[in-house]
Amino acid sequence: MSSFLLFLCTILAHLCTSDNIEDLYDFDIGAWVLCRKVINGVNGNFGVGYKFSVTYELTNVGTQSANQIKIEDSWDPQYFKPTDSKNLESIVFEHKELKPMETVSFSYKLIPTATATVTPSRANISYSVGESEEYVAMKKGESSNWINTQDDLLVLRDAANTVIPYNVQQNVNNNQLIIVSSSVYSRNIASTLIYWILFILLSVASIVYPLCEYEASKGDFGAIPFGLGEYVKMFAQFVNEVVLVKLKQQMNKMNDSKKEK
């Protein structure tokens, strides 16, 4: 972020000192590579034993090509393990050339191994600027960090398994990675749609079936207010004839077939 602000200040300073519009097109700032480190979990959740992705997004906002680009990063092996043969203490990506206004990205996946709140380090980036060997200069900097996390859905557990609500204000910069247990993670990413459907079906059955039995026993629906008794009776008769009678017939056939065997 600081490098980007410095870049904007440089542009503004040049605009203020330019005598005419042609000077703007002659302004050469060389290569200027911005690096963004993005960490994504499933719906903003990170759980023990579940993969998440790390992506480095590089964009050259300068006027010259950047060469020999190198990204160096590291992770604490106490809390993470790689999905391949990567060395977590020395993660390296290299790119030969990045032209002006060009973007490139690198990504990989990690697996948390313990519950914790971790602040990942910023990645180091270096690249060379210059078209000839006599004018080659090396530039170095750091990436920004962005962790896509859902603070309001997460809780942390200490060694005694005491549930501790996480303070959202502690992660206002989205630079902390909150790892929860596998059970909490499963609950956070699970969909409740199937449970609502099951609840509705059971609720309807618990109401409709007694009505149908009551109608089959020649019950009186006149006590239902607003003149709805007749409509409820018609509905119960329909369900009895179309659903319950056929269902009972099918069950009787199944019982008969079992007796024959």
Side-chain angles (χ1 to χ4, degrees):
M1 179 60 73
S2 59
S3 61
F4 182 66
L5 291 176
L6 179 61
F7 169 70
L8 291 179
C9 291
T10 306
I11 295 292
L12 292 174
H14 183 77
L15 290 175
C16 295
T17 57
S18 298
D19 295 331
N20 52 59
I21 192 66
E22 284 77 10
D23 290 343
L24 301 180
Y25 297 98
D26 295 333
F27 183 46
D28 188 359
I29 63 171
W32 198 299
V33 179
L34 303 181
C35 181
R36 186 168 179 249
K37 180 179 176 180
V38 182
I39 303 172
N40 274 311
V42 177
N43 298 328
N45 295 278
F46 301 87
V48 175
Y50 293 90
K51 299 177 184 178
F52 68 90
S53 65
V54 183
T55 303
Y56 304 100
E57 300 174 351
L58 288 80
T59 301
N60 184 1
V61 297
T63 56
Q64 296 181 11
S65 295
N67 302 303
Q68 300 174 358
I69 303 166
K70 187 176 183 180
I71 298 175
E72 297 177 287
D73 202 0
S74 63
W75 291 82
D76 190 345
Q78 180 181 354
Y79 302 110
F80 306 96
K81 67 178 181 179
T83 58
D84 50 21
S85 58
K86 283 186 176 62
N87 180 7
L88 291 184
E89 297 181 353
S90 180
I91 295 176
V92 178
F93 288 101
E94 295 180 335
H95 192 68
K96 185 177 181 181
E97 181 183 11
L98 192 62
K99 297 180 179 179
M101 305 312 297
E102 189 177 34
T103 299
V104 68
S105 63
F106 307 95
S107 62
Y108 57 94
K109 294 184 182 295
L110 297 177
I111 301 176
T113 57
T115 58
T117 300
V118 181
T119 303
S121 62
R122 296 173 181 266
N124 295 314
I125 178 173
S126 62
Y127 56 94
S128 63
V129 182
E131 298 180 356
S132 62
E133 295 183 358
E134 297 179 0
Y135 299 99
V136 170
M138 293 296 297
K139 286 188 176 182
K140 296 183 179 181
E142 292 183 337
S143 70
S144 64
N145 272 3
W146 177 263
I147 302 175
N148 181 20
T149 183
Q150 297 289 341
D151 298 331
D152 55 339
L153 300 178
L154 304 179
V155 293
L156 294 179
R157 291 174 180 259
D158 60 11
N161 290 325
T162 302
V163 177
I164 306 174
Y166 184 74
N167 186 357
V168 178
Q169 297 300 322
Q170 295 179 3
N171 196 24
V172 292
N173 296 320
N174 283 84
N175 61 352
Q176 291 185 329
L177 196 156
I178 307 166
I179 307 171
V180 299
S181 64
S182 57
S183 58
V184 174
Y185 176 86
S186 298
R187 289 198 300 268
N188 288 340
I189 66 172
S191 172
T192 58
L193 178 61
I194 184 62
Y195 300 106
W196 279 109
I197 293 175
L198 184 61
F199 171 76
I200 292 172
L201 292 176
L202 293 176
S203 299
V204 171
S206 65
I207 296 173
V208 173
Y209 183 76
L211 284 175
C212 295
E213 289 294 330
Y214 186 66
E215 190 277 331
S217 302
K218 308 300 180 181
D220 183 15
F221 288 85
I224 299 178
F226 307 111
L228 297 177
E230 189 62 29
Y231 296 102
V232 174
K233 182 178 181 180
M234 292 173 58
F235 172 73
Q237 287 176 343
F238 173 78
V239 174
N240 268 330
E241 295 174 358
V242 176
V243 179
L244 294 182
V245 172
K246 292 183 178 179
L247 182 61
K248 290 179 179 179
Q249 290 176 352
Q250 187 65 29
M251 292 177 64
N252 290 333
K253 289 180 180 180
M254 293 175 62
N255 290 331
D256 293 340
S257 62
K258 287 182 179 179
K259 291 179 180 179
E260 292 178 357
K261 291 181 180 179

